Amino acid sequence: MAPRPAWKGYLKLSLVTCAVELTNVVTHTERVSFRILNRKTGNTVKRLYVDAETGKPLEEDEEVKGYELDDGDFIHIEEDEIEAVQIESSHTMALDGFVDKASIQQIYLDTPYYVAPADKVSEEAFAVIRDAMAGKKMAGLARIVLYRRERPVVIEPLGKGMVLTTLRYDNTVRQPDTVFGDIEPVKTDQEMTDLAELIIDKKKTKFDPSKFDDKYEEALLELIRAKKAGHKAPKAKAAPKPSNVVNLFDALKKSLSDSGSSKTSSSAKGKPAAKRAKPKASAPKRKSA
């Protein structure tokens, strides 16, 4: 069965418009999920809204959304009033700018959706917009109201269709300096960097998402199978914790050896070990957490 579209509307480039629909890229249907049960009866339980003052549960028709004011009072907002709020991006994604996708920092990328023509009539216009962006190697910027929030988005060609990625607002993103600002600059040893680069070369591979296994999900399924068969839960083997590296150079050499390579950098062969092991008195000892 075809997935249900997350949004239907129009994609617009100047005077060219076509009907499109968005489909979630990610599916969670195969994930292990749990229900909450009454431990004594084994029955499933359900959540209820209760009045914070009286403690009495509310019927669905008694619930209403409220916006809290500074004085603590609330303005009642009805569902049909929210539904009536319409702006252009509620139904139309207007491509009002184009960028190189690589220029968008990864920290701003949020959720991806597939974009496809919604009907046969729209296929030609859709293809023209898609092929034009592919020819210029550009991605389009637009806005869309999705799940009752207007979101900036970037749209780019993908095979016969396109992919849209919602973007985070700048004021919701912590800038790198707020986290990395306290990291002191370190002058790295070129010899050790060369060894690390050799390890990277040895482990170079191709991106293949089919090889990613959810080991936690597999462990949950193993637990469920054991309980279903009437067995005790399997004992978990704690993963060994990595120890602190005392001699970073030796750790890099051992890592290179463990990866199956006998290569060493020319600079590593040229320096005597004594000089590597004894840094200058004024320099801090090589340690890594």
Side-chain angles (χ1 to χ4, degrees), residues 231-267:
H231 302 147
K232 290 183 178 180
K235 290 185 178 180
K237 295 179 180 178
K241 292 184 178 180
S243 58
N244 287 341
V245 176
V246 177
N247 189 311
L248 184 54
F249 188 86
D250 288 346
L252 285 165
K253 286 201 299 183
K254 186 175 187 305
S255 297
L256 190 60
S257 175
D258 290 346
S259 67
S261 173
S262 59
K263 298 178 182 177
T264 56
S265 65
S266 57
S267 61

Side-chain angles (χ1 to χ4, degrees), residues 45-85:
V45 300
K46 60 181 181 179
R47 297 180 186 273
L48 293 173
Y49 282 110
V50 299
D51 189 297
E53 298 296 328
T54 67
K56 293 181 179 179
L58 271 66
E59 297 295 334
E60 189 172 348
D61 61 0
E62 296 177 305
E63 299 169 12
V64 65
K65 285 183 168 60
Y67 180 83
E68 188 172 6
L69 302 175
D70 292 339
D71 60 6
D73 286 340
F74 289 88
I75 296 176
H76 290 195
I77 307 293
E78 301 292 343
E79 286 291 334
D80 59 352
E81 293 175 321
I82 295 175
E83 293 294 338
V85 175

Side-chain angles (χ1 to χ4, degrees), residues 39-248:
R39 187 184 293 275
K40 292 182 178 179
T41 66
N43 298 331
T44 57
V45 300
K46 60 181 181 179
R47 297 180 186 273
L48 293 173
Y49 282 110
V50 299
D51 189 297
E53 298 296 328
T54 67
K56 293 181 179 179
L58 271 66
E59 297 295 334
E60 189 172 348
D61 61 0
E62 296 177 305
E63 299 169 12
V64 65
K65 285 183 168 60
Y67 180 83
E68 188 172 6
L69 302 175
D70 292 339
D71 60 6
D73 286 340
F74 289 88
I75 296 176
H76 290 195
I77 307 293
E78 301 292 343
E79 286 291 334
D80 59 352
E81 293 175 321
I82 295 175
E83 293 294 338
V85 175
Q86 294 287 326
I87 58 177
E88 183 186 18
S89 55
S90 298
H91 51 76
T92 301
M93 294 184 293
L95 295 168
D96 51 17
F98 295 88
V99 298
D100 179 351
K101 173 70 181 303
S103 69
I104 301 176
Q105 289 179 273
Q106 190 176 5
I107 56 176
Y108 289 99
L109 300 176
D110 195 0
T111 307
Y113 295 85
Y114 291 127
V115 186
D119 50 48
K120 289 287 183 183
V121 176
S122 300
E123 287 182 358
E124 184 178 13
F126 179 89
V128 167
I129 296 172
R130 178 199 63 206
D131 292 351
M133 285 197 289
K136 299 300 291 185
K137 297 182 179 179
M138 300 292 274
L141 297 175
R143 291 175 176 270
I144 180 176
V145 174
L146 197 59
Y147 306 119
R148 291 183 174 175
R149 290 286 185 276
E150 187 181 48
R151 304 161 195 269
V153 300
V154 58
I155 305 171
E156 58 189 314
L158 181 68
K160 295 188 292 184
M162 293 192 252
V163 63
L164 172 152
T165 305
T166 58
L167 302 174
R168 301 181 178 98
Y169 286 102
D170 187 56
N171 62 2
T172 68
V173 174
R174 291 190 182 95
Q175 293 303 310
D177 285 349
T178 63
V179 178
F180 303 149
D182 292 336
I183 299 177
E184 295 294 333
V186 176
K187 185 177 181 180
T188 56
D189 187 315
Q190 186 59 47
E191 186 176 357
M192 291 194 291
T193 302
D194 290 343
L195 284 174
E197 289 178 359
L198 283 172
I199 295 170
I200 292 171
D201 285 338
K202 189 65 182 176
K203 291 180 174 289
K204 192 181 295 182
T205 185
K206 290 184 178 179
F207 177 71
D208 183 359
S210 66
K211 292 183 179 179
F212 297 160
D213 296 323
D214 189 341
K215 298 192 184 305
Y216 185 76
E217 185 89 352
E218 292 171 359
L220 283 177
L221 290 170
E222 184 181 353
L223 166 63
I224 292 168
R225 285 191 290 266
K227 298 279 284 186
K228 183 178 179 181
H231 302 147
K232 290 183 178 180
K235 290 185 178 180
K237 295 179 180 178
K241 292 184 178 180
S243 58
N244 287 341
V245 176
V246 177
N247 189 311
L248 184 54

